[in-house]
Amino acid sequence: MTTGRIDDLLSPELLSGTAAFVTGGGSGINLAIAHGLASVGADLMICGRTRSRLDAAADELSAHGGRVLTAVADVRDAEALTVAITTAVERFGRLDSVIAGAAGNFFAPAETISPNGFRTVIDIDLLGSFNTARAAFEHLRNSRGSILFLSAGQAYLPFANQSHVGAAKAGIDNLMANLAFEWGRFGIRANSIVPGPIRGTEGMRRLAQPTGEEVWTDAVPLGRLGEAAEVAAMAVVLSSPLASYVTGARVVVDGGLGLSGLGAISRAVAGPVSGTPGDDRRTAAR
Ligand code: HXC
């Protein structure tokens, strides 16, 4: 058994009468999560930076039969997020589930990335996640709702050319745990998902560029890349009453990749050991 349609496996009414807000919902894993939520009855607002992408996504999502709204908002802009979320609550009357998934990434060695490049990823991923949670708080308190963050394996397994992403995602996991701790008293649940190598995503395309996809497939105990729908299935469960006693959890959806470590792939991505024979890192380490 691999994947199945979420609404075949779970009640298509699971989230009916509820409303969700998904950042970065115009594409990739976040769009797959939006499909998952809509397929079990949630009304949706998706936000992102690109109007045309949001419109195309909204067309697809409307096929599930629920209400779909879009908002052009950069998660780095707290004010724009607040306006978007307020609009969603005005239209839907409530907000039950938030997916803080918007992210930015590029490969850059720590020794050459500019401070602004590092800050840009921290701003999009970590500050953007905080901005989302902060703007949604009051509404989630009213609904005793849930917020789900998108983390990454780089948060706990260092990976070549991803120091900025690892720092941002580790911050997200820490933020998630703190919010679970602080906001539990309001009935708000906070969790994060750690997607592994997911087929067809922008992140996977970038990760596979230096090595090819088969290196990744070989490293995964389940022997294949994941599907965005498999991440979405877990996101739906965590956002639903099925997970009513789950908070503060970092849920890994990676086919077991994290168990084997990423050292070999990371070394292949980083390239050969550099330096003159006299200062070879291998010599220096002895
Ligand atoms: C080095 C780079 C760079 C690169 C940008 N910068 N790209 N540095 N290598 N390839 C630097 C710039 O030089 C600049 O610093 C700073 O970053 C800001 O760049 P801008 O282009 O002005 O930023 P912005 O327009 O806000 O774009 C943000 C972005 C961009 C992250 C750089 O790639 C983006 O919008 N990405 C969104 C889509 C995306 O990344 N999807 C993948 C998500 S996958 P200076 O010093 O020159 O001013 C994901 C999962 C992670 O996140 C885990 C699995 C891989």
Side-chain angles (χ1 to χ4, degrees):
M1 183 186 74
T2 53
T3 63
R5 280 177 56 102
I6 292 168
D7 50 340
D8 283 344
L9 300 171
L10 294 171
S11 164
E13 311 282 304
L14 181 65
L15 294 180
S16 65
T18 73
F21 182 83
V22 182
T23 69
S27 64
I29 289 174
N30 298 318
L31 175 55
I33 292 173
H35 271 292
L37 295 168
S39 75
V40 292
D43 288 328
L44 276 181
M45 176 181 270
I46 54 172
C47 86
R49 284 183 290 168
T50 313
R51 164 53 59 203
S52 56
R53 190 177 279 181
L54 290 171
D55 287 346
D59 274 353
E60 289 177 21
L61 291 165
S62 302
H64 297 289
R67 291 178 286 178
V68 181
L69 302 176
T70 61
V72 175
D74 188 321
V75 290
R76 290 170 283 190
D77 182 346
E79 182 59 34
L81 268 180
T82 300
V83 169
I85 288 176
T86 304
T87 304
V89 173
E90 281 168 7
R91 293 286 295 279
F92 298 143
R94 57 189 299 136
L95 179 64
D96 302 270
S97 313
V98 171
I99 312 294
N105 191 11
F106 50 80
F107 269 67
E111 65 271 23
T112 59
I113 189 172
S114 71
N116 191 39
F118 195 96
R119 180 171 50 229
T120 297
V121 171
I122 298 287
D123 279 353
I124 297 172
D125 292 20
L126 178 54
L127 187 60
S129 293
F130 172 76
N131 288 341
T132 306
R134 182 69 188 79
F137 167 72
E138 202 61 50
H139 311 295
L140 292 178
R141 179 165 72 167
N142 291 338
S143 65
R144 301 180 74 78
S146 105
I147 181 158
L148 180 65
F149 298 92
L150 268 287
S151 182
Q154 290 93 320
Y156 55 98
L157 291 168
F159 197 85
N161 306 333
Q162 291 278 271
S163 64
H164 43 313
V165 175
K169 296 292 191 180
I172 287 174
D173 280 340
N174 187 275
L175 173 67
M176 175 277 290
N178 273 282
L179 295 185
F181 192 77
E182 283 193 40
W183 291 356
R185 70 191 196 279
F186 303 118
I188 299 174
R189 296 182 300 105
N191 295 289
S192 64
I193 283 187
V194 180
I198 303 301
R199 197 164 62 86
T201 59
E202 178 61 21
M204 191 62 229
R205 191 185 63 73
R206 294 176 191 215
L207 285 171
Q209 230 164 27
T211 58
E213 273 187 4
E214 46 307 327
V215 176
W216 288 86
T217 308
D218 289 349
V220 175
L222 286 182
R224 62 177 175 85
L225 300 183
E227 303 291 331
E230 293 177 300
V231 180
M234 186 52 63
V236 168
V237 168
L238 288 171
S239 301
S240 81
L242 289 167
S244 53
Y245 204 51
V246 180
T247 194
R250 191 184 69 198
V251 179
V252 180
V253 184
D254 74 346
L257 176 66
L259 300 172
S260 54
L262 296 172
I265 303 176
S266 192
R267 293 287 298 219
V269 170
V273 172
S274 63
T276 59
D279 68 355
D280 187 316
R281 273 191 270 157
R282 285 168 298 198
T283 310
R286 281 197 197 110

